[in-house]
Amino acid sequence: MINRSLVRALLTSAALAGAGVLMAGCNGDEISLANNAKANQPVPPKLIADMTAKNMDLQSPILVRLFKQEAELEIWKQDRTGRFALLKTYPICRWSGDLGPKVREGDRQAPEGFYSISPAQMNPQSAYYLSFNTGYPNAFDKALGRTGSQLMVHGDCSSRGCYAMTDEQIAEIYSLGRESFFGGQKSFQLQAYPFKMTPVNMAKHRNNPNMPFWKMIKEGNDHFEVTKQEPKVDFCEKKYVFDAAKPPNATRDLMFDASAKCPAYVIPEEVADAVRDKQATDLAETARLVAKGTPMARINTGIDGGMNKVFAARVPEGNTGLSEAGDGSFSLMARAPGTIPSHVNPPKAPSENLLMGPPEAPKLAAAPAATPAPAPAATPTRVANAAPADKDEGGGFFSNLARKVGLGGAADATASTPPSKPKAPEAKQTSRPEAPKAAAPKPEVKHAASRPPLKPSVSDTAAATPAPAAKDNHVSGSAPIVSSNSFDSRFGATK
């Protein structure tokens, strides 16, 4: 009798354990997305209020757009009509490289193009507070032999091929992505551009060798602009294809291969007509600006990336580098939107980024931008590392200076870390959206030693600090004063 009871108890325990494993597998994304306090910070109440005002749900899908020249990151969110609307714009604290796509490992370029962000690419254990992997290289990049890895959007305001925000900003952005996944979005789209794809910018950069590539991704921008829907992205014949659909009489689903011939496809007529009209208007305006004498931007040399003017104005010897003033939406900020670490290196003064005049006639470019010879197949997309890699593939004055003073080199995707911190080995993670296994994740030693582990929300500080009212679609308020760690207390005497 006792033996039978013991057997029943053991069987029941085994069944419960098995059920627990199954539940853990089903909820793997949620566990891995929010497995610590940093990654589980709630969406700020002010941002939720903005969603309500714009007819959006907390867990509706999001879409992210990045612009290097303007140094801005936009969060778009689906409203209850099914269309995407701009929720908030964040100033980018630092990006590296030049205008143009990433081509090879170590070129310091932040990627440009269309990328898909899944839960597996969200990294709650990042050494740069929080991060998500852009997914570079995508199928198009691989088809051209482009190389690189661990290109992220992260905190810490330091970049070696990434888009770097402040810790407070990335905490807010991360929370928006997390909630969209909890709401059922399987992945959100990241659109990364050299600049806002306006006729003015296309005229200014008309002789840039990257223009054929930029015209190609502008088509995706135009699809989004006219539909306010996330464009469907495919690749064939080493090019992007947007919103492709089966021809009316097709019996099989479309099969795309980035390196192969494009299958027969159509673009929905209403979308194709709207995009065609927009492109015709843009081309006419661009031609008018060229004829008017709009000066061309020179190709830059010796300048590494940019920084939004909100941050550059508060960094000793700060400069926006390749970033230009946008529409002035952030100019009234009383404080920088977040804590800026002392080790951040502002870009060099853009002495070469002068405008030429009179302009030359636009050069005709029949082929895509030059790319290196095909390289071995890149490794699959991985979750962003929990710690920076140990190789230094960057260059330039500030990189060399950082090494001399002991900041050390980081991976292609990250900036140098502060001195006196031991270099952590590269922690490769799989792309499966599962909770971290085996050894416990490395603690955030890098940040814990210098500032609090949790970052106050950028949105929630408006009421605490008197500041001019911000537009609904832009960063509002300012960061609170954090004892001995706030940006103003660090650099207040050197403004």
Side-chain angles (χ1 to χ4, degrees), residues 314-317 490-495:
R314 292 165 169 82
V315 175
E317 301 181 4
R490 282 179 176 160
F491 296 121
T494 57
K495 285 183 181 178

Side-chain angles (χ1 to χ4, degrees), residues 129-284:
Y129 198 72
L130 291 167
S131 68
F132 62 84
N133 193 316
T134 63
Y136 176 92
N138 61 20
F140 167 81
D141 302 317
K142 292 177 183 178
L144 295 180
R146 294 177 176 175
T147 58
S149 61
Q150 308 305 325
L151 282 303
M152 300 177 283
V153 176
H154 60 62
D156 200 46
C157 190
S158 297
S159 173
R160 292 175 67 87
C162 296
Y163 293 96
M165 317 300 292
T166 62
D167 292 356
E168 290 87 347
Q169 287 177 311
I170 193 63
E172 193 168 298
I173 295 166
Y174 188 99
S175 71
L176 291 170
R178 180 196 67 217
E179 292 302 319
S180 76
F181 289 133
F182 289 174
Q185 187 174 22
K186 294 182 179 179
S187 63
F188 64 83
Q189 189 172 91
L190 172 70
Q191 303 176 4
Y193 300 101
F195 39 71
K196 293 190 176 180
M197 311 303 276
T198 63
V200 172
N201 283 330
M202 299 301 280
K204 284 172 56 179
H205 296 279
R206 58 190 178 273
N207 270 24
N208 192 296
N210 291 302
M211 185 51 73
F213 170 72
W214 291 340
K215 287 181 177 179
M216 180 171 58
I217 62 174
K218 181 184 181 298
E219 185 172 345
N221 170 81
D222 294 344
H223 276 243
F224 177 72
E225 292 284 351
V226 302
T227 66
K228 291 302 186 288
Q229 299 287 343
E230 178 181 299
K232 176 177 171 286
V233 180
D234 290 296
F235 312 98
C236 58
E237 297 178 9
K238 298 182 180 180
K239 66 180 182 181
Y240 279 84
V241 175
F242 299 99
D243 290 325
K246 293 191 298 184
N249 299 324
T251 57
R252 293 187 296 180
D253 291 336
L254 297 176
M255 299 293 293
F256 284 92
D257 184 324
S259 298
K261 181 178 176 60
C262 293
Y265 67 87
V266 296
I267 297 174
E269 186 174 353
E270 63 277 11
V271 175
D273 289 344
V275 170
R276 193 180 303 113
D277 290 345
K278 182 182 187 306
Q279 290 177 338
T281 301
D282 288 351
L283 284 172

Side-chain angles (χ1 to χ4, degrees), residues 53-73:
K54 296 180 180 183
N55 198 30
M56 300 169 178
D57 294 316
L58 173 62
Q59 294 188 336
S60 67
I62 67 167
L63 182 145
V64 178
R65 302 213 297 174
L66 290 157
F67 304 95
K68 290 180 178 177
Q69 182 172 278
E70 292 81 5
E72 293 179 1
L73 181 152

Side-chain angles (χ1 to χ4, degrees), residues 67-125:
F67 304 95
K68 290 180 178 177
Q69 182 172 278
E70 292 81 5
E72 293 179 1
L73 181 152
E74 295 178 347
I75 297 289
W76 291 68
K77 197 165 180 64
Q78 194 177 69
D79 62 23
R80 293 188 181 101
T81 70
R83 291 165 62 88
F84 280 87
L86 181 62
L87 173 62
K88 186 169 180 176
T89 303
Y90 298 83
I92 295 176
C93 196
R94 192 73 168 89
W95 59 273
S96 63
D98 199 350
L99 301 182
K102 183 172 184 62
V103 173
R104 62 183 179 279
E105 186 91 25
D107 62 7
R108 295 183 64 87
Q109 287 292 101
E112 294 174 6
F114 288 69
Y115 299 88
S116 181
I117 314 301
S118 69
Q121 290 160 248
M122 306 288 282
N123 186 11
Q125 307 293 342

Side-chain angles (χ1 to χ4, degrees), residues 445-484:
V445 177
K446 176 175 179 297
H447 293 283
S450 60
R451 48 187 180 271
L454 296 184
K455 299 295 174 181
S457 165
V458 176
S459 292
D460 278 346
T461 58
T465 305
K471 296 180 182 178
D472 287 342
N473 291 345
H474 302 287
V475 177
S476 55
S478 57
I481 298 177
V482 181
S483 176
S484 76

